[in-house]
Amino acid sequence: MMMMTISARKSRSTRILTTTKIKPVRGRAGSWRHDRRHGPVVTLLTGLFILRPVAAQPSPASDLAVQLASGRSASIILNAKCARLAPGQSLRSVALDTASPPQILDIRRRLKVTRLDALKLRHVSIKCGEIELSNAWNWYVPSRLSAEMNKLLDTTETPFGLAVKSLAFTRRVEHGFAPTPPPGMILQQRALLLRGRDHMPFAFVLENYTENNQRPSEVTRTYKTR
């Protein structure tokens, strides 16, 4: 068995790499020997090295996007994140101004409602204690919710997904929509919410997720230093 080694010899201004055939050392697998012309070399007669690429760690945005694409409620996902981020704090929905909503085409067509059907708009900051996790716009059809759900949404800080949890709904993320998130945000998504029993759409959401959606230890450390 013949082995190859690469050695170096110097010229005046460059270093030239040359290839030289080296004879194996008989009966001494993996042993070292010295070649007077080319310095120490190693002869390897046995063994196999497999180099595996190291998988890149997912970013907070991509990890969150995968979770949201699973069809689960965003509020349930953020509620679980809140429990890890700040144990003892609750997820809450703080009402914001709705005077300048984003322009979303065909909202009524998406929700399968006529101009005679009432449609409500919510603009909220979803917070874990005082840490904002998302800023969301939500168009929904009150008649497709129960009276108790509507009361929770009108009179409490219960996040939308938790208020309507008993609908066993799923999210249908709008694919092909990947704009540059607003400043301070790492992800923006649009999704249609569908009732579990009949797949009737009852809400359409535009969600902006903040930089606080990173590893809990990092968020807690950053928050405490403010």
Side-chain angles (χ1 to χ4, degrees):
M1 176 179 178
M2 301 299 293
M3 301 297 296
M4 304 294 288
T5 186
I6 296 176
S7 61
R9 58 186 175 83
K10 296 181 180 179
S11 67
R12 292 181 180 179
S13 59
T14 62
R15 191 178 184 189
I16 303 173
L17 296 180
T18 61
T19 303
T20 306
K21 293 183 179 180
I22 302 299
K23 294 183 178 180
V25 180
R26 296 181 180 178
R28 301 179 62 189
S31 63
W32 288 86
R33 72 180 177 80
H34 188 83
D35 184 281
R36 294 180 179 179
R37 293 173 302 163
H38 303 292
V41 297
V42 64
T43 308
L44 183 63
L45 299 182
T46 61
L48 177 63
F49 291 88
I50 301 176
L51 298 180
R52 298 179 182 274
V54 178
Q57 293 298 318
S59 68
S62 63
D63 181 61
L64 181 59
V66 169
Q67 293 182 61
L68 294 170
S70 69
R72 298 170 56 207
S73 162
S75 296
I76 291 177
I77 291 171
L78 294 182
N79 197 42
K81 183 180 291 290
C82 181
R84 299 190 300 270
L85 180 64
Q89 296 293 329
S90 60
L91 194 71
R92 58 198 186 97
S93 177
V94 180
L96 300 175
D97 186 18
T98 60
S100 302
Q103 298 301 308
I104 305 293
L105 299 177
D106 301 326
I107 285 291
R108 289 184 172 273
R109 179 186 62 78
R110 295 168 190 260
L111 293 172
K112 298 182 179 180
V113 296
T114 69
R115 293 188 177 278
L116 299 178
D117 294 305
L119 196 62
K120 278 194 172 183
L121 173 63
R122 285 164 58 88
H123 182 205
V124 297
S125 172
I126 304 298
K127 294 186 174 184
C128 175
E130 293 301 322
I131 304 173
E132 185 181 50
L133 297 179
S134 76
N135 181 302
W137 292 85
N138 181 353
W139 295 260
Y140 69 101
V141 187
S143 63
R144 294 178 184 170
L145 310 181
S146 68
E148 183 180 358
M149 293 173 187
N150 281 304
K151 183 177 181 181
L152 281 175
L153 294 173
D154 291 339
T155 62
T156 72
E157 291 187 335
T158 305
F160 189 84
L162 299 182
V164 302
K165 182 180 178 180
S166 61
L167 293 178
F169 68 93
T170 57
R171 289 168 56 92
R172 182 186 295 167
V173 174
E174 194 167 277
H175 295 290
F177 175 77
T180 301
M185 305 292 172
I186 60 171
L187 177 69
Q188 186 178 81
Q189 273 202 345
R190 299 197 304 201
L192 195 64
L193 308 187
L194 310 171
R195 285 191 312 208
R197 70 172 187 269
D198 57 7
H199 304 293
M200 176 66 74
F202 65 91
F204 183 84
V205 294
L206 171 62
E207 302 158 331
N208 295 297
Y209 292 90
T210 72
E211 294 173 336
N212 291 325
N213 288 279
Q214 51 190 331
R215 288 188 294 274
S217 60
E218 292 181 354
V219 177
T220 303
R221 183 169 60 251
T222 302
Y223 182 68
K224 286 182 177 180
T225 58
R226 292 179 180 176

